[in-house]
Amino acid sequence: MPEQILKIDKLNKYYGQHQVLYDISFEIQKGEVVALLGPSGSGKSTLIRCLNGLEQFQSGFLFFGGKQITPQEKNWPQLRQKIGMVFQSYDLFPNLSVLDNILLGPLKVQKRQRAEATAEALKLLQRVGLEKYAEVYPRQLSGGQKQRVAIVRALALHPELMLFDEVTASLDPEMVRGILEIIRELSERDNMTMIIVTHEMNFAAQIADRILFLEEGRILEQTPGKEFFQHAKTQRAREFLESMTF
Amino acid sequence: MDLSIMQQAIPQFVKAFELTLWLSFVGILGALLVGVCCSLLQYFKVPFLGKVASVYVELFRNTPLLIQLFFLYYAFPVIGIKLPAQVCGIIGLAFLGGSYMAEGFTGGFNGVSQSQLDAGKAIGLNKFQLARYVVFPQGFTLSVPALAANVIFLIKETSIFSVIAIPELTNTALDLVGLYYRSNEYLFMLVLAYAIILIPLSIILTILERKVRYGSFGN
């Protein structure tokens, strides 16, 4: 019996009078990888940001680990420890070293012991090939290295769900692969549950168990990964895929 | 210009110089303190007190120090509060400066990018932790240029203390001019005295600005 991690039920979001998400409903089981695809402005990033409270939604429900989250949720700081997020612009804290970036959450939010948290942080850094960079400041890293640190920073809190918001979009092409490898390994080795917003179609095709195709704030179709790329259900999705391939 | 006249006035200028430095130092320290407090009240939107801070900042930023000093020195005794001139000067400088410093700090805090705030929230920081570990360290660095400009500005504002008879540099120079009718010499010394304080300070502050900028962001 697969364990449901996240359920979204008729979520609506407005900016003022302007509605940007319409009746979004879907579920994610533990270990599942869902990719959100769709043209720019379709609401993918807004949706993923609603899932950890960085954007407020106006109506509908989230259920995370069986617990109901309403639009008025006050307890996001607690919930976010279980929902890791990585951003397009990395957003490491420039005033902290790599190690301190990673430790901020475990030490200050989760009040863990420094020795134990540090050991784990170093192990995670080693896993992404950056064990030598613990004492370095973010400005001394390349974009790809920053993004790897950002992934480690999120993992250090032991999240149950990871949100990736176009994490390769501002990287040099040769850096992209390394990041995607790390994400794939997270899925294959750790069975991490993930929601991925991406424009890397080949990556989505390989890694995603399911594709949600969004346009203008609506989910047009939900299709298993492989199937979506071979024969998407909607005409619009087929056009989109066509436009993405050269 | 008569050098011997200038020479004779040196002891009086040195005394006034020291007093100007002292009043500036204490006043600016007070201004930083008042500024930090007001900025924090505004940042955390503390009920009532946050609003009070905002009203204070607007009121003091938009009235001249001259008028504020007149109130402190001439109007307050009418309601029974009589303060020595120098205390009035320091209080005036601290509260005028406090309003500018508050704006400086607030500007820095507001300058921290939304994406940094998002990143902080995403690792579970609550409102206070976000302020303590993300907004304040980065925002303070951003506010240093504004604070430095305020320091220079406030030192120059001490010249207004002359109107409530505090024997600082401007008051001393104008006194001497009145006594001996030698305006060129004394005014030259006055300009020189301010330059001796402000030019090195300005250079030091510029270096400091660069240090904090490179120190925390590196680009």
Side-chain angles (χ1 to χ4, degrees), chain B residues 195-217:
Chain B
I196 288 172
I197 299 176
L198 292 167
I199 292 174
L201 184 67
S202 166
I203 292 169
I204 291 170
L205 290 173
T206 308
I207 293 170
L208 180 78
E209 279 169 37
R210 211 172 301 154
K211 266 250 156 64
V212 293
R213 194 167 63 214
Y214 291 143
S216 37
F217 301 110

Side-chain angles (χ1 to χ4, degrees), chain B residues 64-67 69-70 96 155-166 168 170 194:
Chain B
L65 179 60
L66 182 68
I67 311 302
L69 287 182
F70 278 159
L96 172 82
I155 293 174
K156 289 188 289 189
E157 283 293 283
T158 60
S159 59
I160 296 192
F161 292 173
S162 58
V163 300
I164 54 170
I166 296 175
E168 46 68 66
T170 303
Y194 279 118

Side-chain angles (χ1 to χ4, degrees), chain A residues 49 80 91-92 94 108 139, chain B residues 115-116 118 121 129 216 218:
Chain A
R49 287 166 61 82
R80 286 180 186 128
D91 284 299
L92 299 181
K108 304 301 176 190
R139 64 175 176 275
Chain B
S115 66
Q116 281 285 310
D118 288 346
K121 287 179 193 167
Q129 291 166 333
S216 37

Side-chain angles (χ1 to χ4, degrees), chain A residues 8-204:
Chain A
I8 295 145
D9 192 17
K10 290 203 164 43
L11 180 144
N12 287 282
K13 161 138 190 86
Y14 300 79
Y15 286 119
Q17 294 293 310
H18 178 59
Q19 188 163 8
V20 290
L21 293 174
Y22 294 84
D23 282 338
I24 302 287
S25 300
F26 65 95
E27 297 172 18
I28 296 185
Q29 316 299 326
K30 189 164 171 37
E32 209 180 358
V33 179
V34 170
L36 296 183
L37 304 183
S40 309
S42 58
K44 311 180 295 285
S45 285
T46 307
L47 172 56
I48 205 173
R49 287 166 61 82
C50 283
L51 303 184
N52 74 345
L54 291 180
E55 295 282 353
Q56 210 186 356
F57 53 98
Q58 275 67 43
S59 71
F61 292 106
L62 291 178
F63 296 88
F64 180 71
K67 199 180 156 297
Q68 180 178 314
I69 301 171
T70 68
Q72 291 77 35
E73 178 63 45
K74 292 272 185 290
N75 207 18
W76 278 115
Q78 283 292 319
L79 290 163
R80 286 180 186 128
Q81 296 172 43
K82 300 276 168 215
I83 307 174
M85 181 152 188
V86 185
F87 303 88
Q88 175 178 346
S89 50
Y90 337 123
D91 284 299
L92 299 181
F93 306 120
N95 51 322
L96 300 177
S97 71
V98 164
L99 186 61
D100 288 339
N101 262 278
I102 300 167
L103 288 179
L104 190 56
L107 295 186
K108 304 301 176 190
V109 177
Q110 298 183 324
K111 316 278 183 209
R112 283 154 59 187
Q113 293 299 314
R114 179 173 284 273
E116 171 265 329
T118 306
E120 193 200 352
L122 293 174
K123 208 181 279 175
L124 284 168
L125 275 178
Q126 188 171 23
R127 189 169 160 184
V128 299
L130 292 176
E131 66 275 19
K132 291 199 185 78
Y133 292 82
E135 299 304 328
V136 153
Y137 279 81
R139 64 175 176 275
Q140 294 159 279
L141 300 177
S142 72
Q145 291 170 327
K146 282 182 198 167
Q147 197 58 295
R148 282 187 253 172
V149 174
I151 293 172
V152 168
R153 180 173 67 179
L155 291 176
L157 292 160
H158 304 154
E160 292 168 14
L161 168 68
M162 282 286 282
L163 310 174
F164 292 94
D165 188 7
E166 302 206 29
V167 292
T168 57
S170 40
L171 292 178
D172 291 336
E174 67 263 38
M175 302 288 185
V176 170
R177 193 187 169 87
I179 298 295
L180 298 181
E181 294 284 0
I182 288 168
I183 297 173
R184 175 160 59 192
E185 203 194 66
L186 270 178
S187 167
E188 288 175 357
R189 204 177 99 181
D190 306 60
N191 197 32
M192 179 64 79
T193 315
M194 305 193 273
I195 302 178
I196 301 172
V197 172
T198 184
H199 288 294
E200 302 283 339
M201 292 302 136
N202 290 330
F203 173 64

